[in-house]
Amino acid sequence: MIELSNVHKSFGKVEVLKGITASVEKGEVVCIIGPSGSGKSTILRCINGLESYDSGDISVEGARVDRNAPSIVSIRTQVSMVFQRFNLFPHRTALENVIEGPVYVKKEPHAEALERGRALLARVGLAEKADVRPPQLSGGQQQRVAIARALAMQPKAILFDEPTSALDPELVGDVLSVMRKLADDGMTMVVVTHEMAFAKDVADRVLFIDGGVIVEQGPAKSVLNQPQHARTQDFLRRVLHPL
Amino acid sequence: MQAFWRDTVEFLPILMSGVALTIIVTIGSLLLSTALGLIWALMRVSGIGVLTGFSAGLINVIRGIPIIVLLFYLYFVMPEFGVTLSALQAAILGLGIAYSAYQAENFRAGIEAIDKGQIEAAQAIGMSWWQTMRRVVLPQAVKIVLPPYGNVMIMMLKDSSQASTITVAELALQGKLIASSTFKNTSVFTLVALMYLTMSIPLILLVRHFEKRAGQK
């Protein structure tokens, strides 16, 4: 449902994506791993039009992604995004954050959105925090609200941009288990992550990206357990055995 | 001292009519400068080259002209182009335009202080530029903008006295008229100063309240 074909993207003179071709099927969980600065996040940001790309093609369910075209709004309502730093709206309660998109973008009736919003907060284990503002929540709770906000759009896929990298280690588990439940429910997910255990357990496929190209990809277990490429082997060794 | 109290009782009613006009000029130009300032600021951050350039140029032109000259222009020059304004209209318009430049810069600073992640989160749920501004950026920017906004209110209250130069009989002009007909300069101008101060104090307290609130997260 998400197709990337020969996507190039430069920031000034630095080319961060050097011809990315990949696809994500419906219901698939794809993890993107790789060193910092390799272009992982940029791929996600291009898919929902937060960044433009210079050449190549990205499409979501056949619709070309162009951040300057009116069609971008419909693509963004189909492909939600969860950010590393949560980016919840601090002046609104958890529940208001969740219903913001349904009510003001999708024009759903308020009462309906509220009911579904509460159900979504319950689904991420935060029913009792509905009326609390984000600054009063822990990082892990904020990220779970952000996931509920993404789900509220009833998206066909969710992009996760290092969703646990800004969390205290003891809060990572709560967020990952919510994500695992989503995957079990059949949500299409693209996850940029450094959580190798999550990738191994939950992902169907893993892409290893370095220097703006896909160095290696395949079923999660085979890429993570028997990496073929020297750069993948080196990266995994450093991540799994830092000492 | 007794003479001062006698003068106070005598002049206060006349000066109060000036206070009414001072308040009208201040509130009128405050509203106008806020509306215009917000428009200039939104144009400035719109990311559309023409609007950004227009707004930046306009702000510089407005900032570069003294308020008093702007008032003279509106009141004495515009009639030659067939636009005749009453003194009060010209005063509100002139002060409103003059202050819109400072309001715009203040608003822009507030808007640009909002974390870029907020804008991205709004875009990611499909919000348009205007929705992002109205639902996400501006409500958060208000908190940042309010303390300097309060200071602008105080400055406008005092600068409303410039309207006296185009015959608006506000507090300063009433004072000057009484003083020149009674020669009781000390009593009259002490009273005028105290009355401006009295009007400023609630605004000063308001600014302090805004600052405290902005300090809390």
Side-chain angles (χ1 to χ4, degrees), chain B residues 11 14-19 21-22 25 75 87-88 91 157-181 185 188-189 192-193 195-196 199:
Chain B
F11 301 144
I14 310 172
L15 290 176
M16 283 310 283
S17 73
V19 167
L21 268 173
T22 290
V25 170
Y75 192 57
L88 183 61
L157 173 68
K158 294 183 297 175
D159 271 343
S160 69
S161 60
Q162 302 217 38
S164 65
T165 58
I166 55 167
T167 76
V168 177
E170 45 64 74
L171 181 53
L173 184 55
Q174 291 289 14
K176 197 173 147 222
L177 291 175
I178 299 172
S180 57
S181 62
N185 285 309
V188 172
F189 288 119
V192 168
M195 290 167 88
Y196 273 112
M199 288 189 279

Side-chain angles (χ1 to χ4, degrees), chain A:
Chain A
M1 73 171 284
I2 300 171
E3 303 278 345
L4 295 94
S5 129
N6 199 23
V7 174
H8 287 259
K9 162 81 184 167
S10 300
F11 289 110
K13 286 191 170 157
V14 185
E15 192 174 30
V16 286
L17 300 182
K18 302 174 183 166
I20 298 286
T21 298
S23 66
V24 180
E25 300 304 320
K26 193 171 181 310
E28 202 178 21
V29 177
V30 174
C31 280
I32 303 178
I33 61 171
S36 297
S38 57
K40 311 183 294 287
S41 295
T42 307
I43 295 176
L44 291 195
R45 295 168 59 81
C46 285
I47 293 175
N48 81 340
L50 287 177
E51 299 283 356
S52 58
Y53 48 100
D54 303 330
S55 66
D57 252 312
I58 302 178
S59 67
V60 172
E61 297 234 282
R64 186 169 193 277
V65 177
D66 176 356
R67 76 187 302 256
N68 296 315
S71 61
I72 193 69
V73 172
S74 117
I75 289 171
R76 282 170 175 162
T77 57
Q78 292 174 54
V79 182
S80 291
M81 180 111 175
V82 172
F83 297 89
Q84 181 178 357
R85 302 216 54 91
F86 334 129
N87 297 351
L88 292 178
F89 307 131
H91 56 303
R92 305 198 186 284
T93 65
L95 183 59
E96 286 168 346
N97 265 278
V98 173
I99 66 168
E100 184 74 19
V103 171
Y104 292 94
V105 178
K106 296 180 87 177
K107 312 284 180 204
E108 281 178 26
H110 204 259
E112 218 169 89
L114 272 177
E115 193 180 325
R116 219 157 42 76
R118 284 186 195 283
L120 285 169
L121 284 176
R123 188 166 162 195
V124 298
L126 292 171
E128 77 287 5
K129 299 288 186 190
D131 300 319
V132 176
R133 283 172 204 265
Q136 267 80 55
L137 297 171
S138 74
Q141 290 170 333
Q142 288 191 53
Q143 193 60 298
R144 284 185 281 153
V145 173
I147 292 172
R149 176 172 70 177
L151 286 170
M153 299 303 286
Q154 298 179 303
K156 293 175 177 158
I158 303 183
L159 313 173
F160 293 84
D161 187 5
E162 299 199 32
T164 57
S165 297
L167 298 180
D168 290 337
E170 80 269 22
L171 303 175
V172 168
D174 291 340
V175 171
L176 289 182
S177 72
V178 166
M179 289 169 63
R180 178 202 289 268
K181 258 191 282 172
L182 283 184
D184 292 344
D185 293 345
M187 177 59 75
T188 309
M189 295 162 60
V190 183
V191 186
V192 169
T193 187
H194 293 294
E195 299 292 337
M196 294 307 146
F198 175 83
K200 204 177 286 187
D201 268 12
V202 180
D204 299 304
R205 222 145 40 84
V206 167
L207 308 185
F208 172 68
I209 301 215
D210 192 9
V213 296
I214 299 175
V215 175
E216 185 166 350
Q217 62 173 310
K221 293 208 170 53
S222 73
V223 173
L224 295 171
N225 290 335
Q226 292 107 31
Q228 300 302 305
H229 202 286
R231 273 198 278 173
T232 321
Q233 291 164 1
D234 184 50
F235 173 77
L236 287 172
R237 194 166 49 242
R238 286 162 194 270
V239 172
L240 298 173
H241 309 287
L243 286 180

